[in-house]
Amino acid sequence: LAPEREHASALSLLAMLQREGRFLDFVQENVAAFPDADVGAAARIVHEGCRKVVHQYLTLQPVLPQAEGDKVTVPAGFDAQRIRLTGNVAGQPPYGGTLRHHGWVTTEVKFPSVSPAMEPRVLAPAEVELA
């Protein structure tokens, strides 16, 4: 398959994030020149739309159930894809440390089928307003 067909679901997700939350517009914009209040107001809109898409198509759960800031033990044989050790990593497990981010794992994906008639590389069509 061509890369755009092989990754059509991922491109479809980007298109949905753009449609509902203007995600691509936001990340493509250089926000450094804008006042913090303007960036914050835009971030609320992007957040609301993108959160809607994520909740509609993905079921997420924390990798570790403890709260951030809690003390945790990482056992020998831990899954390095699920747990990343940071800080002073020395010696052998088990490791004791502080949970800085609980991580995320997808437990269900509910993407709609991507029609072969659709061009998956078009994430957002150009909009032309007619007078």
Side-chain angles (χ1 to χ4, degrees):
L1 289 175
E4 62 271 12
R5 289 289 169 204
E6 182 178 347
H7 304 292
S9 291
L11 294 170
S12 177
L13 176 62
L14 276 176
M16 289 183 275
L17 291 169
Q18 171 62 20
R19 185 176 58 246
E20 296 294 332
R22 302 293 248 187
F23 174 74
L24 295 171
D25 292 344
F26 185 75
V27 298
Q28 289 295 101
E29 186 72 47
N30 180 2
V31 298
F34 293 99
D36 289 348
D38 291 350
V39 175
R44 286 188 189 281
I45 295 166
V46 173
H47 177 266
E48 181 180 328
C50 292
R51 188 171 198 264
K52 175 183 170 185
V53 169
V54 168
H55 286 168
Q56 183 173 357
Y57 296 106
L58 302 169
T59 302
L60 303 174
Q61 290 183 343
V63 171
L64 294 178
Q66 295 87 344
E68 294 174 3
D70 284 356
K71 297 293 182 190
V72 295
T73 299
V74 179
F78 71 94
D79 184 344
Q81 289 186 347
R82 289 179 171 255
I83 299 173
R84 179 178 45 219
L85 302 176
T86 63
N88 185 20
V89 181
Q92 298 297 315
Y95 299 109
T98 304
L99 184 61
R100 294 295 177 211
H101 187 272
H102 54 64
W104 292 109
V105 62
T106 303
T107 59
E108 185 178 9
V109 177
K110 302 170 280 205
F111 289 156
S113 297
V114 179
S115 168
M118 299 294 292
E119 168 56 75
R121 295 178 299 166
V122 177
L123 303 177
E127 296 177 14
V128 177
E129 182 178 344
L130 305 178

